[in-house]
């Protein structure tokens, strides 16, 4: 069981796939559930559970594919006008400073 804190979005990493619950008893409102495949990157995917409500323990369901592989569940509060959360999928190495 994972316990949610007050920061959003909630990220739940499942190293061996499967299912888990998230304790949203300290949160209110509706939340979307999306999945990120850390092995291949790319766009977020939907699973069988599309949304959950705060106020108690919620089941996040299973990933959309390869249920025994690692996945990242991304749980975001639903609201109008929020910027979309886009996971960083490519390493970024800043250029070293140039000497003048």
């Amino acid at each position: 069981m994972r316990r949610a804190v007050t920061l959003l979005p909630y990220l739940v990493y499942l190293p061996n796939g499967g299912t888990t619950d998230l304790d949203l008893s300290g949160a209110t409102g509706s939340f979307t559930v999306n999945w990120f495949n850390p092995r291949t990157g790319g766009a977020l995917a939907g699973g069988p559970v599309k949304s959950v409500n705060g106020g108690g323990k919620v089941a996040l369901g299973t990933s959309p594919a390869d249920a025994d592989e690692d996945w990242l569940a991304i749980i975001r509060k639903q609201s109008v006008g929020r910027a979309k959360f886009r996971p960083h999928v490519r390493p970024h190495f800043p250029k070293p400073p140039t000497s003048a």
Side-chain angles (χ1 to χ4, degrees):
M1 165 75 80
R2 310 300 194 268
R3 179 152 178 97
V5 293
T6 57
L7 302 176
L8 294 177
Y10 302 116
L11 305 175
V12 179
Y13 179 67
L14 301 174
N16 300 310
T19 64
T20 192
D21 294 335
L22 181 65
D23 186 349
L24 290 175
S25 59
T28 59
S30 297
F31 297 80
T32 59
V33 179
N34 288 294
W35 294 87
F36 176 71
N37 183 337
R39 297 172 312 286
T40 62
L44 299 179
V49 174
K50 305 294 183 207
S51 65
V52 293
N53 292 314
K57 295 176 187 174
V58 295
L60 299 179
T62 58
S63 62
D66 303 323
D68 59 343
E69 297 287 336
D70 65 325
W71 283 88
L72 179 68
I74 302 170
I75 300 89
R76 295 178 289 171
K77 188 158 185 149
Q78 292 179 357
S79 68
V80 176
R82 284 184 67 102
K84 290 186 177 182
F85 173 75
R86 297 181 192 273
H88 182 70
V89 296
R90 292 189 182 119
H92 172 69
F93 300 103
K95 293 181 181 179
T98 57
S99 305

